[in-house]
Amino acid sequence: MFFKKLSVIALIFSVSQIALADNAALPKTFEITGQITKKHLENYDQALVAAPEIKGILLSNSLGAANDGVEIVEEFRKRIERKKLSTFARGICASACANIFLLGYQRNLLANPNGKPTTLLLHPVRRVFEENKNGVGQIQVFFTDKINQQISERSQGKLTIELLNKMYDAEDGSGGIFILREPNSEGKYILFSKSLAKKIRATPISNLTPADLGITITEE
């Protein structure tokens, strides 16, 4: 019994090093900042043991994951479904980050405390092979279609497959569909660019708003 208590204390101590967000506007959430790795899955599982009242995942300023992004997204999908978790995003949330966000049961875009925009970037899943590290990667159509179908279903069809398929026109990981928390100068929220790296301007592709896509604008 003594050693069992010690192990619980050790777990609670380790979880205290894991980012949890809790304020008046949000439920207790597990926070992910920066690149998403398999370690975040382990950290989430540990956090949930110590704080079973966790109700959401907060994604902050993340450009996504590395080559294991498909597995990471799939594992977070399972955890989201198990607990019917809400998702929250602030700052840039791209690639695997955007996929995880859009799989939440309630999807909430938050204001970015540093004053920069909160933006989702959706593009196809790509895998960069060892022999081509400097390339843009090979599009993984099967996995992209699978994730897009899951995202569309989670939004109850508000995020249509037709709209999501527009991401296939992106030339690299800097391009794709952009969903803005605040409208651009033309009053539009849904934009597309083939490649921001090539300085191809993101232009509106829809008159829809985040609310039309089943996404809530949440004030902190």
Side-chain angles (χ1 to χ4, degrees), residues 52-67:
E53 69 274 21
I54 289 173
K55 299 295 184 184
I57 296 175
L58 171 58
L59 301 138
S60 299
N61 296 311
S62 174
L63 295 178
N67 277 346

Side-chain angles (χ1 to χ4, degrees), residues 29-157:
T29 58
F30 173 74
E31 184 170 3
I32 299 173
T33 301
Q35 186 180 65
I36 307 171
T37 68
K38 290 182 178 178
K39 183 66 176 176
H40 286 107
L41 292 164
E42 179 183 332
N43 288 348
Y44 168 81
D45 291 341
Q46 291 177 351
L48 193 62
V49 171
E53 69 274 21
I54 289 173
K55 299 295 184 184
I57 296 175
L58 171 58
L59 301 138
S60 299
N61 296 311
S62 174
L63 295 178
N67 277 346
D68 49 6
V70 170
E71 182 179 349
I72 289 171
V73 171
E74 178 62 17
E75 288 302 314
F76 268 115
R77 180 193 65 79
K78 293 176 183 176
R79 287 158 173 79
I80 288 169
E81 289 192 354
R82 197 173 298 140
K83 292 277 290 182
K84 302 293 188 291
L85 296 175
S86 297
T87 51
F88 303 82
R90 62 185 175 201
I92 182 68
C93 180
S95 193
C97 177
N99 289 332
I100 293 169
F101 170 80
L102 290 170
L103 289 169
Y105 276 77
Q106 292 184 359
R107 301 154 299 282
N108 308 268
L109 291 179
L110 308 177
N112 195 351
N114 65 14
K116 293 183 179 180
T118 288
T119 304
L120 304 177
L121 167 56
L122 289 76
H123 55 220
V125 176
R126 294 177 183 269
R127 188 177 298 280
V128 180
F129 295 96
E130 189 69 23
E131 64 274 15
N132 188 27
K133 285 186 176 180
N134 296 321
V136 297
Q138 180 178 324
I139 292 177
Q140 305 296 292
V141 175
F142 174 80
F143 292 113
T144 300
D145 286 347
K146 178 181 177 181
I147 291 170
N148 284 350
Q149 184 63 44
Q150 292 168 346
I151 287 172
S152 183
E153 290 173 359
R154 182 66 74 241
S155 73
Q156 297 182 328

